[in-house]
Amino acid sequence: MDGCRMNCELLATCSALGYLEGDVYHREPDCLESVKDLIRYLRHEDETRDVRQQLGAAQILQSDLLPILVQYPQDKVLFDAVVRLMVNLTQPALLCFGKVPADATSRHHFLQVLSYLQAYKEAFASEKVFGVLSEKLYDLLQLDWEQRQEEDTLLIERILLLVRNVLHVPPDPTEEQRVDGDATVHDRVLWALHISGMDDLLKFLASAQMEQQWALHVLEIISLMFRDQSPEDLAVLGQGQAGAEHGEDTRELQSLRQRELAEKRTRALQRPYRHSRFCGSYVLQGLKAIGDRDVVFHKGLHNLKSYSHDLGKEPRRVPRRRQAAPEAEVPHRSARNVRLFLHRFCRDFLEGCYNRLMLLVKEHLVREKAQQHDETYYLWACAFFMAFNRRRGFRPELVSETVGVRAFHFIEQNLTAYYEMALMDKKEAVTWARRMHLALRAYQELLRTVQEMDRSPEPAVRDSSQVIKSNIFYLMEYRELFLTLFRKFDETKQPRSFLRDLVETAHLFLRMLERFCRGRSSLVVQSKRVRRKKQPRAPAAPQPPSTEELQELWAGLAPQLQACLQGEVPLPEDVVPFDAASETPVEEQRAEALLRIQGCLRDARVPQALRLLRSARDVWPEGDVFGPPNAGPPEETRLLQDIFFALLPRESVALGMGGLRFGDAAAPQHCPIAEHAPPEAEEPEEEEEAEEEEEETVQVSEKEFNFHDYLKRFACAPVVRALVLLLRGYPRNTARTNHCAARLLHRLARDLHMEPLLFQLSLFALFNRLLHDPAAGAHQELVALAKFILGKFFALAATNKKAFVELLFWKSPAAAREMSEGYGSLREGEGAGRSRAPPWTPQEEQLLRELYWKYKEVEGSDVAGAILAQLPAPGRTRRHLVKHLVRLGLIGSARELPRQRKGTRIVLWTQEQEEELTRLFEEFRGSDDVLGRILQHLTARRSRARVVDKLLALGLVATRAELYKKRRRKGQDPAPVPGAPAALGQDSSEDGDSEEEEEDEEEDEEPMEGPEEGAGPGLAQRLHQEGLAGPLRWLQSCLRRTAEDREEDGASHPAPLVPLSEENEDAMENRRFQGLLRRLGLRPPESEQETFWRIPAALTPRLLRRAAASITHRGPDPSGSPQGLPEPPQCPRDPDPAASPQPPDSESEEPDPSPPQPHTKRERDLDSEDEASGSSGPAVPPEDEELQPLGRRKRIRRVEEEEEED
């Protein structure tokens, strides 16, 4: 239907309603049908809400609907239809459009609908309209439940919705520019609601036992009634304190007058006593202009102090995304009669309705009977009415329903949920911030109520307060809440009022906690820590019997088998080889039948084996896998013998259980069963251990609380930055807000002795403005703080000339301590100084020069590596060494000393090296680890594969199996090897640590478009040792969850990595952790609009799962080879240049206490990591290499394979 015809139909429909003659409205005969037509038109309007706009422009509600409602309330059908139509017309604009439109056209329609709603609200400011609604609602509520029809219930709900819609309309700031105390449209609507008695009906609905279903409607209407009111102002009203209110206005006016007089006096002092005929120009010496000359000043000298280079420039425009968030509500003081009515309503509501209504609402919220975000009305009611009760003569029994540990828990849960959603939903971050502000206000009021309970004269109330505080201070979530909110405060998303309430609540919490700790010798609190719980290893696969044992066992089974074939022994009838209901494929069930037959034979259960063979032959006749259909005893005997001696795949689970999985098969070539077994695969040359699964568990413990240590958590740049931002508006802040901010800064500076933490230029600019403020006398506490901080700064600047440069940066506690105690003072202590390299002494610099000139001329040598190995001082890295060489001028840049690739330096063997290899082989021939000892004492470092090839070429060994390491059981001491060192050298550990650190830093700078094959485990292991196990598990879970989501949705979108805990946030700022993210293919933020790292859409679920598996701590070999399948000793495989050999062993799960093998450069890096992280646990002897983590040994093998490929 086109717009012109729609307008004509609307006009005809509206004309058929009736007409107004004076104060009397005459309805047409088709009035009811016309109202229904309008409802139908509204139901089918387009996205621009054209029907709603046309009805609003025609003022149908003001000229037709309201007169019909007032004059024809006895017509029940017409009254019901008109109420339905008005509920639809007064629907909030946000519900009509979903959200505030961004484009100009849709926004215009949105504002147009909003203007019509504001006109509707003004029309509802009538006592007659609310009188009719109240009377009709009263009549409906008089009906019992047996007499109340469904239409009556719907009409009650529609009347409540109509009142809600009218009160929800926001004010028009351009039309209602009134001073405090003047009646606005909202005030006139409230007064009409009060005169009609609607407020009494609302209190009845809130307290009646039979009207529980309207609890949320009533609470929503009450919250809209008190939208612009202050509970503190309403509480003191009507108690003979009108003079106090007037006095407060007088004091504010006097303060403004005092500021004006001070400014006038200052201008008078700046004006010269007589007029100077020479009003010319001055040259400001020492102040340069745009060129090289001094600035020429063309004004009087009294204006010199206000000179700035920015004079005459256009102010810099702030982008919209960086503008401060607007305030959600503008405070307004209503007319006195309206405030008196609201005061009485609050008093009656608290005494008769509050506890019951809040109980019902919370029950609806917990059972999810409410609509989405209805908990915001509950949070508002907690904050408002508890504040009113606290200021109006505190009575704890009136608010007992919302005072307790459960109330704290409910509010903290919602506050945390809003905080997480604000981080994830960036488009709606402002809306989530408003909800978070409501929860914060409720939390603040709960703390103030508990504080008032401490001052109560009743012992029972004080005891209840102590119980609540002990529970709140005991749990870690409540103590960490304010630190989290401070760290993530964003002035572009959260308004200044949120920061004000946050500072006041944090100050109140700290003061209550400090007093609670002061009266006790010790306080035990809860502490939570994420721990890794490892699943027990799967039992080792049993060692298959030898050929001699099998032949001896078969010889014993032969008579019993002949008896069964001849029918002398009955065969069981309950043996079934195939399960049709099982999900296991048929081929796997056939392989399982072979295993079951072999197991029965080796367990001496010949009748079961023979019956299983014949049953399997009937199930799988094709291919004669279990023999031909007419097989006789000789054929069955030969077939059972082949199955008995076959090498079939087995796992650590017991045979005979359903769902048995099979891996690689290595059946002999002469066995006819071999071709029906799974395809043959290569045996792993290195023994696999069972996978250890790790579960992330939260370990809850208790510790003694120290308030001083807890206060140190607030000594960080985000907290100081937020306090400075709040104090910028100190003239507009209340006295309590300025006191709370100043007290927090005083705690950081004076109590913690961290005055340098406040040495910041923006704070000093604020102090300068404060000290030159004519009305500074009203802010004596801030003035005292400013003088104290400035005095400390200038005292420090006398000894530390770099203090002026430090003003430009926000500082951490470590930087503040170095600033006061001297730079480098933490290098021998705790804190950030531990990771710094020691300073270079003149003797070390001279040694560095000598070593550089010594190794510079050696062709093909790694100069930096050779120098690093000769330096006596530990803690040096290759990066530090190269930087200092550049600083000394010995090299031009770091590119002159590139890192040489591993495995490509030494290729040919000299005669001396061959003689040395022969001597070492003869020396360590009887040791448990011949190859390891040789590699450890070999002068020229070579890979394991090249040493093995050379030993084979020299004829010293015949096969690789002779070089396998001999394993021992646990508790068995290894045989001492002459000449073996007791421990690895420290130089190699330091060298490995430094080189791996630089490798990580260099590789971090290379972006990756996909997960690098084998790149994650090495760096992940290092991050595990650095204490980042929790963030790694979080990253792994994110990758797996994203993979599952992409498989379910069938589409891929970039997924952000949102750290929700402080530990994960710190890890995301770690450079090595970021390097791991790049290696896994994750993308960093590309612009200022992005904050988090993202999982690209190009990563498939398979790649995501592979990346997650690569960072698993001590995980299985990514090759996916079966575990617990040792290589048969009698059939060694051909030498494989791409894999390192592994000896056979019957005890696959037992560690070997033999001495460690010498390692390549990468292996020494891993050794140094274990030595560095070994201080936190029990010391491990360096000889027990097999006690090292499984994942580390596998990484060593992969690195060796890469070297061999090079």
Side-chain angles (χ1 to χ4, degrees):
M1 184 181 297
D2 56 357
C4 179
R5 186 178 179 184
M6 185 65 182
N7 291 333
C8 296
E9 289 187 1
L10 278 178
L11 181 60
T13 305
C14 295
S15 301
L17 290 173
Y19 61 93
L20 183 64
E21 184 177 2
D23 294 335
V24 180
Y25 188 86
H26 302 276
R27 61 176 180 175
E28 297 288 347
D30 298 333
C31 180
L32 178 60
E33 287 73 13
S34 301
V35 172
K36 293 181 179 179
D37 289 341
L38 292 178
I39 296 175
R40 186 163 50 253
Y41 291 150
L42 286 172
R43 189 181 305 161
H44 298 287
E45 61 182 353
D46 58 7
E47 64 276 1
T48 62
R49 305 296 182 256
D50 55 341
V51 178
R52 195 176 304 269
Q53 293 187 46
Q54 295 173 27
L55 294 179
Q59 298 184 356
I60 294 299
L61 187 140
Q62 297 94 319
S63 59
D64 294 281
L65 299 182
L66 287 180
I68 293 175
L69 185 73
V70 172
Q71 296 188 21
Y72 301 99
Q74 67 279 359
D75 191 342
K76 185 177 179 180
V77 180
L78 180 60
F79 186 89
D80 189 12
V82 171
V83 171
R84 286 177 57 193
L85 179 57
M86 288 195 297
V87 169
N88 199 338
L89 282 176
T90 57
Q91 186 178 1
L94 283 175
L95 293 180
C96 296
F97 290 87
K99 61 178 181 179
V100 179
D103 58 299
T105 304
S106 301
R107 191 176 182 85
H108 171 73
H109 295 307
F110 175 83
L111 295 177
Q112 196 70 26
V113 171
L114 187 60
S115 65
Y116 295 142
L117 289 175
Q118 292 167 353
Y120 296 160
K121 185 174 184 178
E122 187 173 0
F124 266 93
S126 171
E127 300 176 8
K128 294 182 180 180
V129 175
F130 274 98
V132 172
L133 294 176
S134 300
E135 184 177 354
K136 178 63 69 172
L137 183 60
Y138 176 80
D139 295 338
L140 294 174
L141 294 178
Q142 290 297 319
L143 299 176
D144 296 333
W145 279 99
E146 295 81 3
Q147 302 175 356
R148 190 179 299 179
Q149 302 296 325
E150 183 179 359
E151 294 80 5
D152 299 332
T153 304
L154 290 176
L155 185 56
I156 294 175
E157 184 177 8
R158 287 166 183 161
I159 292 176
L160 294 177
L161 288 177
L162 180 60
V163 176
R164 190 279 311 265
N165 292 345
V166 173
L167 293 175
H168 188 274
V169 177
D172 188 359
T174 59
E175 297 293 336
E176 298 185 3
Q177 296 179 352
R178 295 180 172 88
V179 297
D180 288 344
D182 195 3
T184 61
V185 175
H186 190 74
D187 294 340
R188 290 191 281 126
V189 172
L190 290 178
W191 187 251
L193 185 144
H194 169 61
I195 295 299
S196 64
M198 181 70 73
D199 55 337
D200 296 330
L201 294 177
L202 293 176
K203 288 184 286 186
F204 171 77
L205 290 174
S207 59
Q209 178 70 23
M210 306 300 295
E211 308 293 344
Q212 298 182 5
Q213 58 179 329
W214 315 116
L216 284 169
H217 291 80
V218 172
L219 185 60
E220 186 176 1
I221 292 174
I222 293 175
S223 67
L224 294 173
M225 289 172 57
F226 294 90
R227 180 169 54 190
D228 298 332
Q229 306 300 324
S230 171
E232 290 82 3
D233 295 341
L234 288 179
V236 300
L237 193 66
Q239 299 179 359
Q241 299 187 8
E245 178 181 339
H246 179 71
E248 182 180 355
D249 295 340
T250 304
R251 284 191 298 270
E252 184 178 357
L253 183 60
Q254 288 178 353
S255 176
L256 295 175
R257 178 62 177 168
Q258 182 182 1
R259 183 187 300 271
E260 182 182 2
L261 292 176
E263 292 177 356
K264 185 182 297 184
R265 192 181 311 110
T266 304
R267 289 195 300 268
L269 292 176
Q270 291 178 355
R271 190 178 298 111
Y273 292 102
R274 62 183 181 86
H275 175 72
S276 175
R277 294 184 179 273
F278 178 68
C279 299
S281 304
Y282 301 90
V283 176
L284 304 183
Q285 294 183 358
L287 188 61
K288 297 297 182 182
I290 297 179
D292 296 334
R293 298 183 179 182
D294 294 336
V295 173
V296 178
F297 189 66
H298 298 281
K299 295 184 179 180
L301 294 177
H302 59 279
N303 294 323
L304 181 60
K305 291 184 178 180
S306 61
Y307 175 76
S308 173
H309 286 297
D310 295 330
L311 291 176
K313 296 181 180 179
E314 294 183 1
R316 188 174 183 179
R317 182 179 176 272
V318 181
R320 180 177 299 179
R321 66 176 182 274
R322 295 183 182 178
Q323 293 178 359
E327 296 293 337
E329 296 180 2
V330 179
H332 172 75
R333 186 184 301 171
S334 301
R336 182 173 178 80
N337 58 344
V338 176
R339 284 184 288 149
L340 287 173
F341 141 64
L342 294 177
H343 171 84
R344 289 191 295 269
F345 182 90
C346 288
R347 182 189 59 196
D348 299 339
F349 183 79
L350 277 173
E351 293 177 354
C353 311
Y354 178 79
N355 286 331
R356 175 173 179 77
L357 181 65
M358 298 301 283
L359 177 63
L360 292 175
V361 171
K362 189 172 182 181
E363 183 180 357
H364 289 335
L365 295 175
V366 172
R367 296 186 178 182
E368 297 182 355
K369 295 182 179 179
Q371 296 182 0
Q372 194 176 13
H373 307 312
D374 276 350
E375 71 277 358
T376 55
Y377 301 110
Y378 179 87
L379 298 174
W380 172 88
C382 288
F384 189 90
F385 290 104
M386 291 175 69
F388 183 88
N389 177 63
R390 177 175 52 84
R391 293 297 300 269
R392 187 189 165 267
F394 180 68
R395 294 174 58 186
E397 67 274 7
L398 298 182
V399 292
S400 59
E401 178 59 34
T402 53
V403 177
V405 179
R406 293 184 178 180
F408 273 99
H409 176 68
F410 180 79
I411 295 175
E412 187 271 338
Q413 274 191 330
N414 284 279
L415 183 57
T416 305
Y418 297 153
Y419 162 75
E420 294 175 354
M421 290 304 300
L423 295 180
M424 298 177 62
D425 192 1
K426 291 295 184 181
K427 294 183 179 180
E428 300 294 333
V430 176
T431 304
W432 291 111
R434 292 175 181 173
R435 299 186 181 116
M436 186 163 43
H437 193 188
L438 286 175
L440 180 62
R441 285 180 177 175
Y443 193 89
Q444 178 186 10
E445 199 51 50
L446 273 177
L447 290 176
R448 289 183 175 179
T449 302
V450 173
Q451 186 184 29
E452 287 292 333
M453 293 172 64
D454 282 338
R455 305 169 184 172
S456 175
E458 301 179 7
V461 177
R462 294 197 301 270
D463 294 342
S464 300
S465 171
Q466 293 298 321
V467 172
I468 293 174
K469 289 193 297 184
S470 62
N471 283 276
I472 298 305
F473 297 149
Y474 176 78
L475 295 176
M476 188 183 68
E477 289 81 3
Y478 301 106
R479 300 194 306 271
E480 300 293 327
L481 179 62
F482 301 104
L483 288 168
T484 305
L485 295 179
F486 269 120
R487 286 170 58 91
K488 287 301 180 181
F489 176 76
D490 186 0
E491 60 177 332
T492 62
K493 305 296 187 301
Q494 297 160 320
R496 193 70 57 90
S497 57
F498 176 86
L499 180 59
R500 178 196 63 214
D501 291 330
L502 175 60
V503 171
E504 293 181 2
T505 310
H507 167 73
L508 177 61
F509 185 83
L510 287 175
R511 188 174 62 178
M512 294 175 61
L513 182 57
E514 183 180 17
R515 293 180 179 177
F516 190 79
C517 298
R518 190 179 300 167
R520 291 167 174 78
S521 58
S522 63
L523 177 63
V524 178
V525 297
Q526 186 188 78
S527 177
K528 292 184 180 180
R529 183 171 297 178
V530 179
R531 293 291 187 183
R532 297 191 309 269
K533 183 178 180 181
K534 298 179 180 179
Q535 296 289 344
R537 297 180 180 179
Q543 182 71 15
S546 61
T547 306
E548 293 77 7
E549 295 176 351
L550 291 177
Q551 291 178 354
E552 183 179 355
L553 182 59
W554 177 256
L557 295 177
Q560 187 178 1
L561 177 60
Q562 293 299 326
C564 293
L565 292 173
Q566 294 175 4
E568 299 177 1
V569 178
L571 302 182
E573 300 294 337
D574 56 348
V575 179
V576 180
F578 175 74
D579 186 5
S582 176
E583 297 181 356
T584 307
V586 178
E587 296 297 329
E588 292 187 9
Q589 292 197 34
R590 183 173 60 182
E592 181 182 354
L594 289 173
L595 278 175
R596 292 175 61 187
I597 295 173
Q598 187 185 66
C600 291
L601 290 174
R602 294 185 180 182
D603 293 341
R605 293 180 296 164
V606 179
Q608 289 83 353
L610 184 58
R611 170 57 66 187
L612 191 60
L613 176 66
R614 293 176 178 177
S615 301
R617 183 190 307 158
D618 296 338
V619 175
W620 293 287
E622 62 276 1
D624 295 341
V625 178
F626 298 96
N630 54 354
E635 289 82 0
E636 290 181 341
T637 302
R638 186 173 60 257
L639 187 61
L640 289 175
Q641 183 179 6
D642 292 340
I643 296 176
F644 180 80
F645 285 98
L647 295 178
L648 300 179
R650 295 175 179 268
E651 285 198 354
S652 58
V653 296
L655 292 176
M657 298 180 62
L660 185 66
R661 306 291 297 238
F662 303 96
D664 301 332
Q669 297 298 326
H670 66 276
C671 180
I673 308 300
E675 58 184 4
H676 300 284
E680 183 176 356
E682 295 183 359
E683 287 287 340
E685 296 185 358
E686 185 171 331
E687 182 181 356
E688 299 288 343
E689 294 186 3
E691 178 183 359
E692 293 183 3
E693 298 181 359
E694 295 182 357
E695 293 183 356
E696 180 177 339
T697 59
V698 179
Q699 181 179 3
V700 181
S701 60
E702 291 184 343
K703 66 177 182 179
E704 187 173 351
F705 181 75
N706 189 330
F707 179 77
H708 190 74
D709 294 340
Y710 175 71
L711 188 60
K712 289 181 181 179
R713 303 283 305 279
F714 287 85
C716 57
V719 176
V720 179
R721 190 184 299 115
L723 294 175
V724 172
L725 179 63
L726 180 62
L727 286 178
R728 286 179 183 174
Y730 73 91
R732 302 182 299 273
N733 295 340
T734 61
R736 173 165 180 79
T737 302
N738 289 333
H739 166 73
C740 295
R743 189 69 183 91
L744 283 175
L745 290 176
H746 183 269
R747 287 182 183 273
L748 301 180
R750 190 66 178 270
D751 298 351
L752 298 180
H753 303 287
M754 291 187 182
E755 295 88 355
L757 200 66
L758 307 184
F759 295 167
Q760 219 283 332
L761 193 58
S762 59
L763 182 59
F764 280 17
L766 173 62
F767 287 161
N768 180 61
R769 184 161 61 95
L770 173 65
L771 295 176
H772 289 83
D773 190 354
H779 312 286
Q780 290 297 329
E781 191 174 10
L782 292 178
V783 172
L785 177 65
K787 292 181 178 179
F788 172 75
I789 297 299
L790 291 175
K792 290 292 184 180
F793 171 76
F794 288 112
L796 179 62
T799 58
N800 185 4
K801 300 301 181 182
K802 298 179 181 178
F804 295 97
V805 182
E806 294 281 3
L807 288 175
L808 302 175
F809 308 99
W810 299 98
K811 287 164 281 296
S812 62
R817 180 177 173 183
E818 284 192 331
M819 187 177 175
S820 58
E821 298 182 5
Y823 297 99
S825 59
L826 298 181
R827 290 176 182 174
E828 284 79 20
E830 72 282 353
R834 288 187 297 179
S835 61
R836 300 181 181 178
W840 292 84
T841 62
Q843 295 79 9
E844 291 176 346
E845 290 184 350
Q846 181 63 28
L847 177 62
L848 180 61
R849 291 187 178 92
E850 295 177 358
L851 293 175
Y852 173 74
W853 293 112
K854 175 182 178 181
Y855 293 104
K856 179 183 178 181
E857 304 300 332
V858 179
E859 184 178 358
S861 64
D862 185 9
V863 180
I867 295 176
L868 201 60
Q870 298 295 329
L871 289 178
R876 305 288 186 195
T877 63
R878 184 185 183 97
R879 188 180 186 88
H880 296 152
L881 175 66
V882 174
K883 282 186 175 181
H884 202 67
L885 288 175
V886 175
R887 189 177 295 111
L888 294 178
L890 298 177
I891 58 176
S893 64
R895 297 181 179 179
E896 297 183 13
L897 298 178
R899 185 186 301 274
Q900 296 187 359
R901 293 184 59 189
K902 300 176 182 179
T904 59
R905 290 179 53 191
I906 305 175
V907 179
L908 301 178
W909 290 77
T910 62
Q911 184 177 359
E912 292 79 6
Q913 293 173 350
E914 292 180 354
E915 294 176 356
E916 180 187 13
L917 180 62
T918 304
R919 178 181 58 80
L920 292 175
F921 176 77
E922 296 296 337
E923 180 179 356
F924 300 110
R925 192 169 190 173
S927 63
D928 294 337
D929 186 11
V930 181
L931 185 59
R933 295 300 180 187
I934 293 176
L935 290 172
Q936 184 176 355
H937 293 81
L938 201 62
T939 303
R941 286 186 289 181
R942 297 178 183 271
S943 66
R944 180 185 295 263
R946 291 202 174 113
V947 173
V948 172
D949 293 341
K950 194 62 179 178
L951 290 174
L952 291 172
L954 293 177
L956 299 177
V957 293
T959 61
R960 295 176 181 266
E962 299 181 19
L963 298 176
Y964 289 165
K965 184 192 304 182
K966 301 178 179 62
R967 301 182 181 270
R968 297 179 180 272
R969 296 180 179 270
K970 293 184 178 179
Q972 184 177 0
D973 297 334
V977 180
L984 293 177
Q986 296 295 330
D987 293 340
S988 63
S989 174
E990 295 162 4
D991 184 20
D993 189 14
S994 61
E995 295 194 4
E996 181 168 323
E997 178 181 354
E998 183 174 350
E999 284 180 2
D1000 296 340
E1001 294 177 354
E1002 290 178 355
E1003 292 173 358
D1004 288 349
E1005 300 174 358
E1006 299 179 2
M1008 302 291 297
E1009 296 183 358
E1012 185 179 353
E1013 185 72 26
L1019 186 54
Q1021 175 71 13
R1022 185 175 182 85
L1023 294 174
H1024 268 284
Q1025 296 175 357
E1026 292 181 357
L1028 297 179
L1032 286 175
R1033 288 192 300 273
W1034 165 73
L1035 174 61
Q1036 191 177 18
S1037 65
C1038 291
L1039 294 175
R1040 291 175 176 173
R1041 185 168 60 251
T1042 305
E1044 295 175 358
D1045 294 342
R1046 292 182 178 180
E1047 284 184 348
E1048 294 178 359
D1049 300 340
S1052 298
H1053 303 283
L1057 285 178
V1058 183
L1060 300 181
S1061 64
E1062 184 177 354
E1063 182 183 10
N1064 295 340
E1065 293 175 6
D1066 296 338
M1068 294 299 292
E1069 299 174 359
N1070 190 311
R1071 185 172 181 182
R1072 287 179 180 166
F1073 195 84
Q1074 294 178 356
L1076 176 64
L1077 297 179
R1078 288 191 176 92
R1079 293 186 182 191
L1080 297 179
L1082 274 61
R1083 178 174 60 82
E1086 294 183 349
S1087 61
E1088 297 180 353
Q1089 297 181 354
E1090 295 183 355
T1091 306
F1092 304 108
W1093 286 67
R1094 278 170 165 74
I1095 303 176
L1099 295 182
T1100 62
R1102 183 180 62 84
L1103 293 178
L1104 291 175
R1105 288 194 175 92
R1106 188 175 65 182
S1110 67
I1111 60 176
T1112 303
H1113 187 42
R1114 301 178 65 181
D1117 189 10
S1119 61
S1121 57
Q1123 302 175 1
L1125 295 178
E1127 187 179 12
Q1130 70 275 14
C1131 299
R1133 294 185 177 276
D1134 295 335
D1136 187 1
S1140 58
Q1142 166 135 8
D1145 192 8
S1146 61
E1147 297 294 328
S1148 61
E1149 293 295 320
E1150 299 293 336
D1152 182 19
S1154 60
Q1157 302 176 4
H1159 311 302
T1160 61
K1161 195 172 186 180
R1162 175 66 177 177
E1163 294 177 76
R1164 293 189 296 104
D1165 295 344
L1166 300 171
D1167 290 339
S1168 63
E1169 296 171 7
D1170 293 341
E1171 294 172 4
S1173 62
S1175 58
S1176 60
V1180 180
E1183 292 84 6
D1184 297 344
E1185 184 189 14
E1186 296 306 316
L1187 296 180
Q1188 298 170 356
L1190 171 63
R1192 176 172 160 266
R1193 299 207 313 269
K1194 294 178 181 178
R1195 292 199 309 274
I1196 295 175
R1197 188 184 66 177
R1198 288 196 295 270
V1199 171
E1200 292 170 354
E1201 293 174 357
E1202 293 174 1
E1203 291 179 352
E1204 294 171 5
E1205 292 175 0
D1206 293 340

